[in-house]
Amino acid sequence: MSPSVSPRFFSPAEVARHRTKESCWVLVGERVYDVTGFLRMHPGGEALILRRSGTDVSAELEGPPHRHSENARRWMEQYYIGELDGEPEEPDTEGADRDGGARGRDAQVRERRKAPDPTEEEEPPAASRCSKVDPKTDLVDWERPLAWQVGYLGENYDTWVHQPVDRPIRLFQSEFLEASTKTSWYMVPAVWMPLVFYLSWYCYTTLSQEKTRLHLTTEYSILVHKYSFPLIFLVGMFLWSFIEYCIHRFVFHMRPPAHNYYLITLHFLLHGQHHKSPFDGSRLVFPPGLAAPVIGGFYLLIQALFPEGLGLSMFVGGLCGYVMYDMIHYYLHYGSPQKGSYMYGLKAYHVKHHFEHQRAGFGITTRFWDRPFNTLIPDETFETAH
């Protein structure tokens, strides 16, 4: 809702009626939010919001168990639809009188809000202090493709890109280029898993010939047995988890120099657009056409470093790890894992990375590598009341 437009007013009874998946409203103080579109995205699951729908969630925003960040509060402002009319409802007698009375109460409430008591100094709630996401006043023109605009943001880019919005992003004017940056989640396993199955069979049959040897020295080598394939496969998956961490931290989260238009644009195309619009479902996984050159590069590198059967077995394990990474990443944004499960913890962890800790929490499939590299998102602590 634009700040220049007078807010709508809703009675408590009307707010309380919106407590379903089809229409879910909540209150923050006297501010009314329609969070129906956010139910599926909520890291705690839609049931958590539905249990509190129609009521004031101010206490939940402050925690425990989770204190919502400024970005989360700013995100919520996108769902703001009006204010709570605290006046008691008139009995439902005659429709015309009721409607007229409602309009009269709205006018009275608006007058009271326009002319507050100057002797009262009341601090606005935290949610209302957060700036709204207004496309008309943003640093970019949302009516035009963003790819060639973001480079001009300069020193404002890092702050802007880490203030997420719930809206689709158009990168290019060209329909072909735009389509090449989008893909459905199922395209990743559909393209790569047949290759994983074929290469797994090929590696096993190659190792079965008992000609693959790992040379430790010029005089000593060991035979790579076919029964070692599952172990080598798992080693490849483990190595992928490290590569995943390094790419996410050092490539996707590089800090482009404020004066370098091209590096800012590159960062936005690689990963910045995902942080700006984290729930754009068409850009949560890598399009196979764009991923293929990178995967091909890893294949050539590992084949050059190891004997064919050994190197290919590690590569196919890493490729399977990559597919799992993309699927898990999509699920962390749109899935509803059971509370207390491993995926539930990962989802909450990843959402914190997006909304509060953009320089930490780089692990997607696992938090393992965040520990030795000291980028683990710390657990929240709350002071105990005495």
Side-chain angles (χ1 to χ4, degrees):
M1 181 179 293
S2 173
S4 61
V5 179
S6 298
R8 293 179 59 192
F9 290 89
F10 304 95
S11 68
E14 185 175 3
V15 174
R17 285 196 293 267
H18 294 267
R19 307 192 66 173
T20 66
K21 290 184 179 181
E22 290 71 32
S23 183
C24 180
W25 293 8
V26 297
L27 292 166
V28 178
E30 295 186 350
R31 297 171 68 82
V32 184
Y33 299 85
D34 182 353
V35 295
T36 309
F38 183 65
L39 288 176
R40 187 182 176 193
M41 308 174 193
H42 186 243
E46 61 183 28
L48 199 61
I49 297 183
L50 286 171
R51 285 200 300 269
R52 295 165 174 80
S53 58
T55 65
D56 190 347
V57 297
S58 300
E60 283 73 17
L61 290 177
E62 294 299 325
H66 172 60
R67 181 182 295 109
H68 290 64
S69 67
E70 182 178 340
N71 265 338
R73 298 170 190 271
R74 183 184 292 106
W75 177 277
M76 189 172 182
E77 289 302 298
Q78 298 172 107
Y79 309 122
Y80 170 75
I81 57 173
E83 300 285 325
L84 182 68
D85 180 1
E87 297 295 320
E89 289 192 292
E90 297 289 339
D92 190 8
T93 55
E94 298 184 12
D97 292 341
R98 185 182 68 248
D99 293 343
R103 286 193 295 270
R105 289 196 306 277
D106 284 359
Q108 293 173 8
V109 174
R110 284 194 291 273
E111 287 301 319
R112 289 199 303 270
R113 293 178 185 274
K114 289 179 181 177
D117 187 346
T119 61
E120 295 182 1
E121 295 184 0
E122 184 176 338
E123 185 180 9
S128 64
R129 293 199 302 271
C130 293
S131 60
K132 295 183 182 180
V133 180
D134 190 348
K136 296 181 180 179
T137 60
D138 203 359
L139 298 176
V140 298
D141 182 359
W142 285 92
E143 300 300 321
R144 297 168 49 228
L146 298 186
W148 314 126
Q149 297 186 60
V150 294
Y152 295 110
L153 295 180
E155 61 184 12
N156 295 319
Y157 171 73
D158 191 69
T159 300
W160 175 85
V161 82
H162 289 127
Q163 291 178 346
V165 296
D166 184 12
R167 58 177 295 130
I169 285 178
R170 186 175 183 91
L171 295 176
F172 301 105
Q173 187 67 41
S174 166
E175 295 293 341
F176 175 76
L177 288 177
E178 183 70 7
S180 69
T181 66
K182 298 181 177 182
T183 191
S184 300
W185 67 267
Y186 53 80
M187 289 301 297
V188 173
V191 170
W192 298 118
M193 286 310 294
L195 185 60
V196 169
F197 292 136
Y198 169 75
L199 290 180
S200 295
W201 170 82
Y202 178 81
C203 290
Y204 185 80
T205 55
T206 300
L207 296 179
S208 297
Q209 298 175 10
E210 298 187 351
K211 296 180 180 179
T212 302
R213 305 190 69 89
L214 178 61
H215 294 272
L216 302 178
T217 67
T218 56
E219 299 180 351
Y220 182 72
S221 64
I222 58 175
L223 176 67
V224 181
H225 201 276
K226 63 181 180 181
Y227 295 127
S228 63
F229 171 74
L231 177 60
I232 302 171
F233 186 95
L234 292 175
V235 169
M237 292 187 66
F238 180 75
L239 290 177
W240 162 255
S241 70
F242 177 68
I243 295 171
E244 164 202 316
Y245 174 88
C246 291
I247 292 176
H248 192 190
R249 179 180 180 182
F250 299 111
V251 179
F252 291 169
H253 279 272
M254 67 174 179
R255 287 179 179 265
H259 62 276
N260 196 311
Y261 171 91
Y262 298 102
L263 282 181
I264 291 176
T265 302
L266 177 63
H267 176 269
F268 187 71
L269 294 176
L270 285 176
H271 196 61
Q273 48 86 15
H274 174 54
H275 269 261
K276 190 62 182 176
S277 182
F279 293 99
D280 185 347
S282 64
R283 290 196 173 101
L284 287 179
V285 297
F286 275 93
L290 299 180
V294 180
I295 292 174
F298 279 114
Y299 169 79
L300 295 176
L301 176 63
I302 204 165
Q303 286 291 80
L305 295 176
F306 299 95
E308 180 184 6
L310 176 60
L312 196 56
S313 297
M314 294 175 61
F315 169 80
V316 71
L319 182 59
C320 184
Y322 159 70
V323 174
M324 291 180 58
Y325 150 79
D326 249 354
M327 294 300 94
I328 288 176
H329 183 231
Y330 186 90
Y331 185 76
L332 295 185
H333 281 264
Y334 275 114
S336 298
Q338 185 177 359
K339 187 173 183 180
S341 66
Y342 177 74
M343 297 301 292
Y344 185 91
L346 274 186
K347 182 179 176 73
Y349 189 75
H350 189 60
V351 170
K352 288 181 182 179
H353 166 74
H354 271 281
F355 283 83
E356 191 172 5
H357 297 275
Q358 293 88 3
R359 302 300 174 187
F362 299 109
I364 304 296
T365 57
T366 176
R367 288 174 275 191
F368 176 83
W369 296 107
D370 280 313
R371 300 179 188 277
F373 287 99
N374 199 30
T375 55
L376 190 70
I377 296 177
D379 292 330
E380 290 183 86
T381 57
F382 294 86
E383 293 183 2
T384 304
H386 296 285

